[in-house]
Amino acid sequence: MATEPPPLERAASDLRPSLGRNLTYGMLDSLGRAIVTGHYESTPFPTEAQLAQAHGVSRSVTREAVKMLTAKGLLSARPRQGTVVQPASNWNLFDTDVLRWLLERKFSVDLLRHFNQLRVAIEPEAAALAARFGGPADLDEIDAGLARMVAAEQGQDEPLEADIAFHIAILNASKNPFYMQFHDVVTTALHTSIRFTNRIKGRTASIADHGAVRDAITARDADAARHAMRHLIGDVLELIDQVEGNRDAGPAAQSA
């Protein structure tokens, strides 16, 4: 009877096909995903020499990948203890790699809620700022995002990408460099959030609700833009609470 290879060797065999030309990033991606999914919760993190040997790469590639994971808050080097995995509270959740690894692991409604709580603290104000400071080109981008959503309803565009384009256009139209730098975080996390909400609702995003945001921004009504965006994201949070309530209530409530 064949025995399963040790975890380190198994991780190495999973890594090699995905390395391609960029050995460092391939190793970073594999090790980062392994850390976030709990692969090293009960196993000490390997030394650089062990990683290099197991993955068939140079020590310099290994060292660079470990350095990048340390910068993301996933690892730390301690005297006489070597490299250790850090608790999740130390991870940089605004790093798009970390966020992607989190979203790729076992689905978490809590993570989805936390993300949308962040959105409701940022995007309504971004919409208000867009109404005040967005230029003609910015408004055109918001219009284009909404037009893509309408086209997606007719099967002429990809619903997920169209929805994301609309929200990113509003962040950019805010003209606030801090909000604008949420571009990658929002793009990464919305891929999961929108898929979840669309699957639960059985339809794509509400064109009318997104149109209300666009109309308020175009009318230069900051308060209305803020309210419309808060309403749009608030619906997502209510849906998450509803799903959790049904799950907690058990099969009887879900089939009622």
Side-chain angles (χ1 to χ4, degrees):
M1 178 177 176
T3 59
E4 186 176 12
L8 189 56
E9 292 181 13
R10 188 166 63 249
S13 65
D14 291 342
L15 170 65
R16 289 192 185 99
S18 65
L19 284 176
R21 289 175 294 180
N22 194 332
L23 293 173
T24 300
Y25 191 79
M27 192 166 197
L28 168 78
D29 191 59
S30 181
L31 291 176
R33 185 179 290 108
I35 292 169
V36 169
T37 56
H39 181 77
Y40 296 107
E41 283 183 355
S42 57
T43 304
F45 193 77
T47 65
E48 287 183 6
Q50 289 172 325
L51 287 170
Q53 182 178 17
H55 296 306
V57 297
S58 68
R59 291 284 293 273
S60 61
V61 167
T62 301
R63 190 174 300 114
E64 185 63 23
V66 169
K67 185 186 301 183
M68 293 167 73
L69 290 168
T70 300
K72 296 174 186 294
L74 272 66
L75 297 174
S76 70
R78 300 178 181 177
R80 295 185 297 278
Q81 293 185 20
T83 303
V84 297
V85 174
Q86 290 292 285
S89 57
N90 288 3
W91 299 349
N92 180 6
L93 301 182
F94 291 104
D95 184 287
T96 53
D97 285 330
V98 176
L99 184 58
R100 176 170 53 83
W101 295 327
L102 283 167
L103 293 172
E104 286 176 358
R105 72 182 184 182
K106 183 178 179 181
F107 179 76
S108 167
V109 173
D110 284 338
L111 179 62
L112 193 61
R113 178 190 294 106
H114 293 159
F115 168 65
N116 281 285
Q117 287 169 343
L118 174 66
R119 287 183 64 202
V120 83
I122 291 172
E123 291 192 63
E125 290 307 312
L129 291 173
R132 294 180 60 194
F133 302 116
D138 299 306
L139 301 185
D140 286 345
E141 284 298 311
I142 295 171
D143 277 339
L146 187 63
R148 286 188 61 183
M149 293 182 68
V150 173
E153 288 275 289
Q154 302 167 355
Q156 299 171 5
D157 205 328
E158 207 288 310
L160 178 60
E161 297 303 326
D163 200 338
I164 289 173
F166 177 84
H167 288 274
I168 296 305
I170 291 173
L171 287 176
N172 292 336
S174 74
K175 298 305 183 183
N176 183 303
F178 295 98
Y179 285 176
M180 292 166 72
Q181 287 203 12
F182 275 93
H183 176 287
D184 289 340
V185 172
V186 169
T187 297
T188 302
L190 273 176
H191 274 88
T192 293
S193 180
I194 293 173
R195 283 193 187 104
F196 167 80
T197 53
N198 288 354
R199 184 172 68 250
I200 297 300
K201 291 184 295 186
R203 59 173 174 80
T204 53
S206 168
I207 300 296
D209 287 348
H210 285 73
V213 176
R214 189 278 311 272
D215 292 346
I217 292 173
T218 301
R220 302 296 186 181
D221 189 335
D223 287 338
R226 182 185 296 111
H227 175 78
M229 183 64 84
R230 185 176 293 121
H231 171 73
L232 194 158
I233 303 172
D235 279 352
V236 178
L237 286 167
E238 288 180 9
L239 183 63
I240 293 170
D241 288 340
Q242 175 187 333
V243 169
E244 275 220 316
N246 289 342
R247 184 185 65 185
D248 294 340
Q254 295 181 37
S255 61

